[in-house]
Amino acid sequence: MEAKNTYRKYIDCGFTGLEAAIVLIAFVVVAAVFSYVVLGAGFFTTQKSQEVVHTGIQQASSSMEIIGSVYGHSTTPATGIDFIRFTVGLTSGGSSVDLQKLTMSYLPDGGSLSVLANDASAEVWADVAPGGGTYVCGGGGAHDPLAGTAGAWSIEVINNDNGGQNLVLEPNEQAVLCAVPPAAIAPNTGFTLYMQPIVGASFPIHRTAPAAITTMNTLY
């Protein structure tokens, strides 16, 4: 009887070891699955972070900058400034900007925002190409796409053209832009022009008309 009980004890111990092994394997499997889930979530988060960084770099690299001064022109100084003229280029390392898809808005101090009509079309390239003439923005000249129309903007000329003969602002190129506000700008009146490329943040230009307006004025 004693030998039988000893054999039964060994059998019971064998079953206990097998159960412990099963539990251990279950823990290992659960831990492996949990680790895989955690690693997968980490990889997904890292990928999203990289996408955000790349998108931010892309948007920042599409920004433009003002080159030189911003000028206000007036055909009749007594009535105020008729149109605004300035030169833009790409920031260092910036990507190209399609001027045909650029949106420009005008906001006078204390007034309401208005979107200026885009007259920068592919058909005007014959006039902005080297030797093809330049625009007299807002003056109603032969090469003037605005013809004095209020509430519109256009391209006067593209300098340092790389030979592409298009309206895409590329590195080392400079585009002279003209904007005609909806109403003449009175003396000592401030305004903001917003240029919004198809990719990137809006670029604001805030200037104020001088106290004494002449035919050509440097805005400050």
Side-chain angles (χ1 to χ4, degrees), residues 64-71 85-89 156-157 159 169 173-178 195 203 205:
M64 297 177 291
E65 63 179 355
I66 293 293
I67 300 175
S69 301
V70 178
Y71 300 97
R85 187 170 176 264
F86 55 94
T87 303
V88 297
E156 179 178 334
V157 66
N159 298 317
L169 185 62
E173 291 184 345
Q174 298 177 359
V176 181
L177 306 183
C178 296
M195 294 187 296
F203 180 68
I205 305 172

Side-chain angles (χ1 to χ4, degrees), residues 18 21 45 70 72 81 86 91 95 97 104 118 131-132 144 165 180 217:
L18 179 61
T45 303
V70 178
I81 293 175
F86 55 94
T91 56
S95 57
V97 174
M104 190 178 299
N118 185 348
D144 180 17
Q165 291 194 353
V180 182
N217 311 269

Side-chain angles (χ1 to χ4, degrees), residues 109 185-190 208-213 220:
D109 289 354
I185 304 174
N188 294 322
T189 301
T208 302
I213 295 178
Y220 60 93

